[in-house]
Amino acid sequence: DAGVIQSPRHEVTEMGQEVTLRCKPISGHDYLFWYRQTMMRGLELLIYFNNNVPIDDSGMPEDRFSAKMPNASFSTLKIQPSEPRDSAVYFCASRQGNEQFFGPGTRLTVL
Amino acid sequence: GEDVEQSLFLSVREGDSSVINCTYTDSSSTYLYWYKQEPGAGLQLLTYIFSNMDMKQDQRLTVLLNKKDKHLSLRIADTQTGDSAIYFCAEEGSSASKIIFGSGTRLSIRP
């Protein structure tokens, strides 16, 4: 298996633009997580899904953030409109049983 | 609530042993984890320990668990420059569906 796949790896956009981050979990994993990592706040859990259903979105910072998982092999995290303070590395992770694996992350820069 | 605490920095001499410590709050955690994050990369699952174990050894890595004190440690024997990274301690949350991460310990190796 190729592991968790995220795209794009880097995204630079201007304030106010819509940003969509994509994730393909490991096949067969029933949990999918979105995290954000910054120097100031460390690693934050934004939202997670179980069998494509959102379970806990209490970490989503604002209504500007939304996440979907239309099927077991794909999820998106959307920010609309984006702001400079959204600049961070966004990680997707998937889990089966007690082992959770992370993707390589998307480094987002909002100018 | 659920919380995982670890020191932010550790510096060791090449060839010495590194010991990274962590405390957690949820006594019902079934699994406790150590993840490694190298610069520009995602978090990599290093090892984990089941809560009914006191120790787990895997090559140069030794995990010690003290359930009474809710203390977890990771010992890296014969530390090498390639071990430079941020090490995250994590516990399985009470819901058993999400993992709670500490803030990470940045390990630096000096010659």
Side-chain angles (χ1 to χ4, degrees), chain A residues 9 31 33 35 37 39 42-43 45 48 55-56 58 91 95 97-105 107, chain B residues 31 33 35 37 40-45 48 86 88 92-93 95-103 106:
Chain A
R9 292 295 310 278
Y31 282 91
F33 303 82
Y35 292 86
Q37 186 178 39
M39 288 291 290
L43 190 67
L45 175 62
Y48 72 96
I55 302 300
D56 183 354
S58 60
F91 289 105
R95 181 179 179 191
N98 63 293
E99 294 190 358
Q100 180 167 314
F101 296 92
F102 282 75
R107 182 173 294 276
Chain B
Y31 291 95
Y33 304 84
Y35 281 80
Q37 185 181 29
L43 278 71
Q44 172 195 357
L45 177 61
Y48 61 89
I86 302 175
F88 290 87
E92 183 180 58
S95 68
S97 59
K98 64 180 181 180
I99 296 174
I100 311 299
F101 287 85
S103 55
R106 184 179 296 273

Side-chain angles (χ1 to χ4, degrees), chain A residues 3-81:
Chain A
V4 177
I5 299 172
Q6 291 187 247
S7 65
R9 292 295 310 278
H10 302 273
E11 176 81 31
V12 180
T13 191
E14 292 188 343
M15 183 173 63
Q17 296 298 305
E18 177 181 295
V19 174
T20 299
L21 311 181
R22 297 173 176 80
C23 174
K24 183 180 188 312
I26 294 172
S27 177
H29 282 197
D30 54 357
Y31 282 91
L32 183 140
F33 303 82
W34 281 101
Y35 292 86
R36 177 172 69 175
Q37 186 178 39
T38 61
M39 288 291 290
M40 291 296 295
R41 302 169 77 103
L43 190 67
E44 302 173 275
L45 175 62
L46 301 177
I47 184 172
Y48 72 96
F49 297 81
N50 177 220
N51 293 322
N52 313 339
V53 176
I55 302 300
D56 183 354
D57 66 354
S58 60
M60 296 285 260
E62 298 169 36
D63 291 345
R64 298 184 296 108
F65 286 69
S66 62
K68 293 182 180 178
M69 192 165 185
N71 57 63
S73 58
F74 184 65
S75 176
T76 59
L77 178 67
K78 187 175 292 187
I79 309 172
Q80 164 66 15

Side-chain angles (χ1 to χ4, degrees), chain B residues 32-61:
Chain B
L32 295 123
Y33 304 84
W34 285 104
Y35 281 80
K36 176 184 181 182
Q37 185 181 29
E38 296 181 355
L43 278 71
Q44 172 195 357
L45 177 61
L46 263 185
T47 186
Y48 61 89
I49 187 167
F50 190 52
S51 59
N52 69 353
M53 298 170 63
D54 297 324
M55 185 182 84
K56 180 179 180 181
Q57 187 151 5
D58 183 2
Q59 299 182 345
R60 292 191 298 120
L61 305 179

